[in-house]
Amino acid sequence: RSLENIKSENPFPGVCGHVCFRPCEARCNRNEYDEGIAVNALERAVFDHADANKVKRPTKKQKTAKTVAIIGAGPAGLTCAYFLAIAGHDVTVFEALPFPGGTPRIAIPDYRLPTKVIDKEIEQIIELGITVKADTTVGRDISFSDIVAGYDACFIGIGAHQSRKLNIPGEDSQRVIPGLDFLKAVTLGKESYPGARTVVIGGGNTAVDAARTAKRLGASEVTIVYRRSAEEMPAYSREVAAAEA
């Protein structure tokens, strides 16, 4: 019942339970009495322990005969598809990558977000009758004008798949790899060994994920270089601690 209640508003409790940094808990009004509700831990526990055979699927409303195209099968696109399907609309999702999931599926390492977790939740969304066309790039495999003409509505949720540039000489040299590109390549099996010594420039979660992934791939020495103090690193503190450990 708890999982059903959560999924009435959020189709990704498993993903959130694993990787959300829970900003809602710090601002929870329950803090005025004792402490904030442990939403992150509750989502994780419910996803991990709910009996799948007893969880009721969302009740879909009567068909509306309306069609919606969604560009991008990341969290935004799939959440949109989820609620539109429940509302009775016919939904088609176009995704440039070989599989749905967006950044969580392609750029968050498996040790932090197991593939089986996000794949399970994506499968439960698609089971509502949603059509997913992977390996389909809008503008190459199908034109945007065709989508606009062929559907009653279109939602664009293409995500933020580009790493930030430093804009310094040499950053386009061989073996200088943007963090997101590196993590994607590992997921797709295109990157296996980064080298014995690896340096990661940046202090965000992508940087820490890249550093920990490089270590797992066999790099003997991995160094994170950040322009400010360790306390000012925007990465989650528990991830920084885990990287140091």
Side-chain angles (χ1 to χ4, degrees), residues 45 60 80 103 112 135 143 192:
K60 294 175 63 176
C80 182
T103 294
R112 202 148 72 82
D135 266 326
S143 70
S192 58

Side-chain angles (χ1 to χ4, degrees), residues 42-57:
L42 288 170
E43 287 179 323
R44 175 72 177 267
V46 167
F47 176 84
D48 287 346
H49 300 294
D51 186 342
N53 295 320
K54 295 182 179 179
V55 177
K56 295 180 182 178
R57 296 175 63 182

Side-chain angles (χ1 to χ4, degrees), residues 58-105:
T59 301
K60 294 175 63 176
K61 295 182 179 179
Q62 187 175 354
K63 285 281 189 179
T64 63
K66 296 292 185 179
T67 60
V68 182
I70 294 176
I71 303 175
L78 290 176
T79 298
C80 182
Y82 177 77
F83 288 109
L84 287 172
I86 291 174
H89 307 308
D90 287 324
V91 182
T92 300
V93 182
F94 297 91
E95 172 57 51
L97 291 170
F99 37 71
T103 294
R105 179 65 174 78

Side-chain angles (χ1 to χ4, degrees), residues 22-234:
R22 55 187 190 274
C24 60
E25 295 180 21
R27 299 187 180 186
C28 179
N29 57 19
R30 184 72 202 179
N31 285 313
E32 299 175 11
Y33 301 95
D34 39 45
E35 58 184 346
I37 303 298
V39 176
N40 182 248
L42 288 170
E43 287 179 323
R44 175 72 177 267
V46 167
F47 176 84
D48 287 346
H49 300 294
D51 186 342
N53 295 320
K54 295 182 179 179
V55 177
K56 295 180 182 178
R57 296 175 63 182
T59 301
K60 294 175 63 176
K61 295 182 179 179
Q62 187 175 354
K63 285 281 189 179
T64 63
K66 296 292 185 179
T67 60
V68 182
I70 294 176
I71 303 175
L78 290 176
T79 298
C80 182
Y82 177 77
F83 288 109
L84 287 172
I86 291 174
H89 307 308
D90 287 324
V91 182
T92 300
V93 182
F94 297 91
E95 172 57 51
L97 291 170
F99 37 71
T103 294
R105 179 65 174 78
I106 199 81
I108 298 181
D110 189 72
Y111 68 82
R112 202 148 72 82
L113 177 59
T115 299
K116 63 181 181 181
V117 171
I118 188 166
D119 283 353
K120 179 180 179 180
E121 294 196 310
I122 290 172
E123 181 181 342
Q124 292 171 346
I125 292 172
I126 295 175
E127 284 177 349
L128 293 172
I130 295 163
T131 299
V132 176
K133 295 187 177 182
D135 266 326
T136 304
T137 299
V138 176
R140 183 191 68 192
D141 302 306
I142 183 173
S143 70
F144 181 65
S145 59
D146 284 346
I147 289 177
V148 172
Y151 294 84
D152 293 304
C154 175
F155 174 83
I156 302 175
I158 57 175
H161 288 262
Q162 290 186 333
S163 295
R164 296 172 66 183
K165 303 278 282 185
L166 288 172
N167 295 318
I168 60 174
E171 67 177 316
D172 295 320
S173 302
Q174 188 176 14
R175 302 304 296 163
V176 177
I177 310 170
L180 283 177
D181 291 355
F182 171 67
L183 293 171
K184 291 178 187 176
V186 172
T187 300
L188 295 172
K190 298 178 180 178
E191 181 72 49
S192 58
Y193 180 56
R197 302 176 66 212
T198 300
V199 62
V200 179
I201 301 174
N205 287 304
T206 297
V208 175
D209 284 346
R212 295 182 69 187
T213 297
K215 192 72 173 176
R216 281 168 163 75
L217 292 175
S220 57
E221 180 183 327
V222 180
T223 303
I224 294 177
V225 176
Y226 181 58
R227 58 181 172 162
R228 299 189 180 97
S229 67
E231 291 73 23
E232 293 176 285
M233 288 176 64

